[in-house]
Amino acid sequence: MAKAKAGKEKDVVRLERESVIPIMKPKLIMKLAYLIEHQSDRDEFLKLCKRVEYTIRAWYHLQFDDMMELFALFDPVHGAKKLQQQNFSPEEIDMLEQNFLSYFFQVMEKSNFNIVNDDEVELAHSGQYLLNLPIKVDESKLDNKLLAKYFKEHHHENLPDFSDKYVIFRRGIGLDRTSNFFFMEKVDTIIARAWRRFLEKTRLQKLFSRKKNGKQKMDSKKNDDLASEVDEKDLYVERIRLETMDLSLRNLIGKVTIQEPTFEEVIVLYRRRSPKGQDDRAIHVKHFKNIPMADMELVLPEKKNPSLTPMDWVQFIVSVVIGLVTLISSLEMPKADFWVVIAILSALAGYCAKIYFSFQQNMATYQNLITQSMYDKQLDSGKGTLLHLCDDVIQQEVKEVIIAYYILMENGKATSDDLDLQCEELIQEEFGLQCNFEVMDAVQKLERLGIITRDSIGRICCVPLKRANEIIGATTEELVMKARQS
């Protein structure tokens, strides 16, 4: 978390703290059990944790089965054959794929994934990290009907412009650091700064400036703002980029470390446009990890091959024009200096070569990053991703119930607000982690399990451990395990 330091200006990104509980379930259960004083209570607590998990799994079993059966019809590998065997009409297929999307978005919400919105896309594009080429999606290769129909019937606020073609979900905030010499990137930065000064002096900056969105949910702020705006619910992460770095002689010739906040998990959903005469209904779901915000283009579907940026072409043409004007002016002088002409031509040729080789190096970096995103950063796709999400929902729900029940058991009656605060304090004190605990969701599940009550003024209290186990009762898994042992 970035903090303000006097005299130094830092590029800091402010992020909303997420609701996901970043603790492994076995670690959470063993730690809380260890904190219980009496062995008999500890045994009852461990039994309760197992029964809670088995029961929650049973709640979601049918829903997850329905979702997986629907996805089997739209699986990019075998879905087409299954659809053909079922002999559905186009209207029935439309209904089935919308049902799948409804299940999918519910699971994403329960897993605490958020849809990347326009403000977050703008913030990601406001800086560069390892990817220094403009990457665009070939929208002609993507379907724009599937998601457009879903969002027409299911309203979501602040959707990005591309939401009719593909959706990007993100969860978790991390940090990525890279140390290297970055020689070409430093040269690019120096030239870019000189170009900006040139535009400022000639008052041409308005011609090339971009309009930026006014309000951002994820803000990029300076330290002066942080001193006056500190919200414990927010997370502050510093960006360290070459564009804002002080390029002293030591930094120019030595290794430097750049830093960028990352999305720990990213899931992309899209459908390719069907070729003429075909009706491709495959739905693609891809799962990535540790994607730097500024390099979010790595996960985009159907990417175009990158080329020189418009700014590269402008700089190239302006440099050629200035060089030619200077060269002609020198030749028209009564006594043209041969070495001055050679120097101008050499500088012009060197700059053109620099643009070319810089682009080639960026292309090589791009290919390496794409390869890395495919082999190192892609966790799974299709059915594997859906199975991971289903298990993840159950793990999060179980952890919420266990933490809330433990707090009520140890601290006694509490209002919803007090319970929320005490759960977050427990996670902070015992595990050194912070999250925005979803107390209402936890309370609803505890009420459904029947192991909490409310007093006359609405405060929440839990039933004793032994009684809680009796209320839930022996689960199918326990009966199976007993049958095996007998």
Side-chain angles (χ1 to χ4, degrees):
M1 186 178 292
K3 296 182 180 179
K5 292 184 181 180
K8 288 189 177 182
E9 191 180 73
K10 293 182 179 181
D11 187 4
V12 178
V13 178
R14 185 177 66 188
L15 308 164
E16 289 186 358
R17 199 171 297 282
E18 298 187 335
S19 301
V20 61
I21 301 173
I23 310 165
M24 297 293 290
K25 186 195 65 189
K27 181 180 179 180
L28 172 70
I29 292 173
M30 295 312 298
K31 179 65 176 179
L32 297 183
Y34 175 77
L35 296 174
I36 297 173
E37 184 176 355
H38 300 292
Q39 183 63 42
S40 59
D41 290 340
R42 193 177 301 166
D43 294 339
E44 288 290 336
F45 179 75
L46 292 173
K47 182 193 291 186
L48 179 67
C49 291
K50 287 184 179 179
R51 290 187 171 182
V52 164
E53 180 172 1
Y54 295 151
T55 305
I56 290 177
R57 282 189 181 276
W59 290 351
Y60 283 104
H61 179 73
L62 291 177
Q63 180 183 347
F64 291 161
D65 271 2
D66 288 345
M67 183 179 71
M68 297 306 296
E69 286 178 8
L70 285 169
F71 180 73
L73 300 173
F74 308 108
D75 189 324
V77 181
H78 302 296
K81 289 182 180 179
K82 293 184 179 180
L83 275 178
Q84 193 175 11
Q85 291 170 1
Q86 297 290 339
N87 199 25
F88 289 122
S89 66
E91 293 75 19
E92 289 174 324
I93 296 175
D94 290 343
M95 181 185 69
L96 290 170
E97 64 189 17
Q98 291 301 314
N99 288 344
F100 166 72
L101 288 181
S102 296
Y103 280 126
F104 180 78
F105 276 82
Q106 288 172 19
V107 169
M108 296 303 287
E109 184 179 357
K110 283 290 184 182
S111 297
N112 298 304
F113 274 89
N114 297 313
I115 297 176
V116 172
N117 57 44
D118 263 335
D119 297 332
E120 294 165 355
V121 171
E122 180 68 25
L123 180 62
H125 289 171
S126 66
Q128 290 182 339
Y129 186 54
L130 298 178
L131 185 60
N132 297 310
L133 288 172
I135 307 301
K136 293 185 178 180
V137 171
D138 189 349
E139 295 186 351
S140 65
K141 294 183 179 180
L142 293 173
D143 173 78
N144 61 356
K145 297 176 182 177
L146 173 70
L147 289 168
K149 184 176 180 180
Y150 176 81
F151 287 124
K152 185 178 179 181
E153 298 175 1
H154 303 81
H155 178 69
H156 286 68
E157 293 184 357
N158 202 15
L159 286 171
D161 295 335
F162 52 75
S163 61
D164 60 330
K165 300 174 187 68
Y166 57 97
V167 183
I168 301 174
F169 298 87
R170 52 92 179 171
R171 185 181 72 177
I173 302 298
L175 204 59
D176 188 76
R177 294 186 180 91
T178 302
S179 296
N180 210 328
F181 291 100
F182 300 111
F183 287 127
M184 294 299 293
E185 289 83 356
K186 290 172 185 176
V187 173
D188 281 340
T189 301
I190 293 170
I191 292 173
R193 291 178 183 178
W195 177 253
R196 280 198 297 271
R197 292 194 190 98
F198 170 74
L199 291 179
E200 288 171 3
K201 289 185 178 181
T202 56
R203 298 183 180 180
L204 294 173
Q205 67 268 29
K206 291 182 181 179
L207 197 63
F208 301 100
S209 61
R210 294 180 179 177
K211 292 182 180 179
K212 294 184 179 179
N213 291 346
K215 189 176 180 181
Q216 292 185 344
K217 189 174 181 181
M218 301 169 68
D219 299 323
S220 182
K221 290 187 171 290
K222 303 299 180 184
N223 279 5
D224 295 339
D225 300 324
L226 292 180
S228 58
E229 288 186 40
V230 176
D231 187 350
E232 292 183 357
K233 293 288 184 183
D234 288 339
L235 179 68
Y236 296 93
V237 184
E238 182 187 358
R239 270 179 159 175
I240 302 176
R241 301 178 290 159
L242 287 174
E243 301 144 317
T244 56
M245 190 179 290
D246 178 23
L247 293 180
S248 61
L249 181 61
R250 180 180 177 182
N251 284 342
L252 277 174
I253 62 176
K255 275 190 176 183
V256 294
T257 300
I258 56 177
Q259 175 176 290
E260 178 73 10
T262 63
F263 294 133
E264 289 188 345
E265 291 185 75
V266 174
I267 291 179
V268 185
L269 181 141
Y270 65 95
R271 168 182 282 168
R272 292 194 179 105
R273 179 166 291 180
S274 301
K276 287 185 179 181
Q278 298 182 27
D279 188 18
D280 184 6
R281 296 287 187 144
I283 297 175
H284 297 265
V285 182
K286 296 187 183 295
H287 190 184
F288 301 87
K289 66 174 182 178
N290 300 329
I291 301 297
M293 289 184 186
D295 292 348
M296 199 164 59
E297 295 93 338
L298 289 172
V299 304
L300 296 179
E302 302 298 331
K303 292 179 281 290
K304 292 181 180 179
N305 287 328
S307 58
L308 285 174
T309 67
M311 183 57 69
D312 286 335
W313 282 110
V314 170
Q315 292 177 354
F316 178 75
I317 293 170
V318 169
S319 301
V320 170
V321 170
I322 292 174
L324 290 175
V325 169
T326 307
L327 179 61
I328 293 170
S329 301
S330 300
L331 292 174
E332 287 180 350
M333 293 176 63
K335 293 183 179 179
D337 192 332
F338 174 77
W339 293 110
V340 171
V341 173
I342 293 296
I344 294 171
L345 288 174
S346 300
L348 186 60
Y351 186 73
C352 294
K354 179 263 163 195
I355 292 178
Y356 173 78
F357 288 115
S358 177
F359 174 72
Q360 291 299 320
Q361 184 181 22
N362 286 337
M363 273 294 292
T365 303
Y366 169 72
Q367 295 295 340
N368 288 334
L369 288 173
I370 291 295
T371 302
Q372 186 183 25
S373 71
M374 290 297 294
Y375 291 97
D376 296 339
K377 292 186 178 293
Q378 184 167 335
L379 291 174
D380 215 328
S381 64
K383 185 177 179 180
T385 295
L386 296 183
L387 290 172
H388 169 84
L389 288 172
C390 292
D391 185 67
D392 201 51
V393 168
I394 293 168
Q395 299 298 315
Q396 288 297 318
E397 301 277 90
V398 170
K399 287 187 282 188
E400 286 176 6
V401 169
I402 290 172
I403 291 173
Y405 183 87
Y406 175 84
I407 289 294
L408 291 170
M409 179 183 69
E410 290 294 316
N411 299 348
K413 298 178 181 179
T415 64
S416 296
D417 290 341
D418 289 340
L419 180 60
D420 185 26
L421 180 62
Q422 290 170 21
C423 289
E424 291 177 358
E425 286 177 349
L426 172 72
I427 294 170
Q428 171 67 42
E429 291 171 4
E430 297 297 335
F431 301 96
L433 300 169
Q434 293 181 322
C435 78
N436 181 20
F437 190 81
E438 290 189 333
V439 67
M440 296 311 297
D441 195 29
V443 169
Q444 287 174 4
K445 290 191 285 287
L446 286 167
E447 288 177 331
R448 186 176 175 184
L449 288 165
I451 57 177
I452 60 169
T453 59
R454 292 181 184 267
D455 63 13
S456 58
I457 59 174
R459 291 182 301 177
I460 306 164
C461 52
C462 68
V463 301
L465 270 171
K466 192 169 184 178
R467 178 60 184 152
N469 278 318
E470 290 174 356
I471 291 171
I472 296 176
T475 61
T476 305
E477 286 81 0
E478 287 178 287
L479 296 175
V480 171
M481 289 172 66
K482 284 183 180 178
R484 285 180 178 176
Q485 292 171 359
S486 61

